[in-house]
Amino acid sequence: MTDLTICLPTRNRQRYCIETIRALAECETRDFDVIVADNSDDPTVLADFFAHDFQDERFRLLPPGDRVYSMVDNWDRAMPEATGRWIVFIGDDDYVDPRVALLLKRYERLYPDVEAVGWNRMNFNWPDNRHSATLATVPCSFQTLVARKSVLQDRLFRWTEQANRPSAGFGIYHGAVKRSLMERIKRKFGGRYFEHPNVDYDNSCKVIAEAKTLVHCQRGFSVLGACNASNSAATQNRDIRVERTRVFVAEATGNVPPQHPDFPFSISDESVSICVSVAHTTFWFCTTYGFDLAGFPENFAQSAMKECARARDREEYDIKVAAFRRGFAEWEGGKWARAFDPAPYAAGERIVNQTSGVIGDILYIREHKLKVETPGEFYRFGEHAMLPVDLVVSGARTFAR
């Protein structure tokens, strides 16, 4: 058994996936392996790459099956193939530093009951996803924080931050979860590793509900990449967003429905938003498994108002407000409708992603002049602004809260 398994699910984005594989392979340590779960329509691209262009015993390819897997099914089939004591999932256009295994071993020595480890993430747009001004981010802090589960559950289950989406902080997506915890999750929740089509938030809910000790490192160890074909790129175009949501819902057939029948906010019309999609996931988890939702309706109303305030123009604002009003009017007979009271649209110029510099502990970098092409390259660039890995894992600069 190795220390860390990195799972890399992919579908029809082979060229990005190959770049991610190459970047991971540059790490010389031997205490990790990689499972590439290919769900592409053309199985030959990655199969030929592994057969002729890439030889590394740390990497293994799971070929497509006899059907197109839903995202949740593709993630679920990767888990039994993992050999690591710790598991991490990333997207095929992302990157994670395999040396995070050193951090995991350090935390195991410091906190014997640790079962989930999170870290700050860097953000990067691939060159083909810079149609307008974009920013990359690099976290510049490095402390270690031991989380309080009650606070995490308030944020994720009851949305107490009242942001346009809750911060999870822990989970198997761009975070590490102990294999033993994933087996416990499978036994307790639905008899499988992943249930809800929003696999990242599905897992975060279960990890935050079940993990004994959760530890977070503020240093960045992974990059959330966004290529032109990614779901995150769709947030910049309403028509693309609607179409990709339609495909997502269709491919989820046979799994938990991505839209809960008792939460009447549509994820499929032109108002689609991450806010609503995540709310369906947390609402499903809490109602299915009996977690307290006290305060969630009022907090979600505040989150919905912030979602509306983020609209890029008056048309988008009107669409979002109308959709939320319909949902609140139907939800429990309009019981929470008064809580949704968005401020009028504020006309005026919106400056989006035009400035760079340090805000708080985050370095923002305008990408139009950035001379890197992939998340792996950006990670190496960003390391110049972060505490070196060997100092982070030495334990010399940590504190618990």
Side-chain angles (χ1 to χ4, degrees), residues 113-338:
D113 287 336
V114 63
E115 292 188 304
V117 172
W119 51 80
N120 284 349
R121 303 149 179 185
M122 303 160 69
N123 290 275
F124 172 79
N125 289 281
W126 289 70
D128 65 3
N129 191 38
R130 301 174 190 170
H131 309 298
S132 57
T134 57
L135 294 176
T137 65
V138 179
C140 300
S141 189
F142 54 82
Q143 288 91 351
T144 290
L145 308 175
V146 178
R148 294 175 58 185
K149 284 185 62 171
S150 60
V151 173
L152 295 176
Q153 291 182 7
D154 279 342
R155 290 176 180 174
L156 185 56
F157 301 163
R158 294 170 278 279
W159 289 50
T160 52
E161 292 172 300
Q162 299 183 350
N164 71 312
R165 74 182 92 165
S167 59
F170 295 93
I172 207 165
Y173 181 63
H174 284 265
V177 177
K178 214 163 193 177
R179 177 60 184 261
S180 56
L181 174 58
M182 288 301 296
E183 297 299 337
R184 199 160 76 243
I185 283 172
K186 180 181 179 181
R187 291 193 298 270
K188 185 168 183 177
F189 299 108
R192 55 184 298 167
Y193 299 106
F194 305 100
E195 289 182 277
H196 196 279
N198 270 346
V199 280
D200 51 348
Y201 273 93
D202 167 275
N203 182 255
S204 288
C205 287
K206 294 168 182 175
V207 166
I208 288 173
E210 275 294 299
K212 296 173 184 175
T213 299
L214 305 98
V215 182
H216 183 85
C217 179
Q218 291 183 327
R219 200 253 195 205
F221 274 92
S222 64
V223 180
L224 285 162
C227 67
N228 188 54
S230 67
N231 291 330
S232 54
T235 60
Q236 302 178 36
N237 184 295
R238 187 183 307 143
D239 293 336
I240 295 175
R241 189 165 65 239
V242 171
E243 172 59 19
R244 290 188 183 169
T245 302
R246 184 196 65 78
V247 173
F248 169 73
V249 172
E251 290 183 351
T253 301
N255 300 127
V256 172
Q259 183 160 311
H260 195 286
D262 296 332
F263 192 66
F265 297 86
S266 176
I267 67 169
S268 302
D269 63 20
E270 60 181 351
S271 68
V272 293
S273 70
I274 295 176
C275 174
V276 171
S277 179
V278 173
H280 272 285
T281 309
T282 60
F283 184 84
W284 162 81
F285 175 76
C286 291
T287 54
T288 300
Y289 293 109
F291 285 84
D292 181 20
L293 277 169
F296 168 71
E298 300 95 325
N299 291 330
F300 175 68
Q302 294 294 319
S303 299
M305 289 188 278
K306 290 176 181 175
E307 173 74 12
C308 294
R310 291 164 59 95
R312 293 173 179 264
D313 52 42
R314 179 59 183 262
E315 180 185 12
E316 184 176 87
Y317 172 86
D318 289 340
I319 289 171
K320 287 181 179 292
V321 168
F324 279 117
R325 288 201 190 283
R326 289 193 300 271
F328 278 104
E330 295 177 30
W331 191 20
E332 297 187 15
K335 182 178 180 180
W336 311 106
R338 285 189 177 182

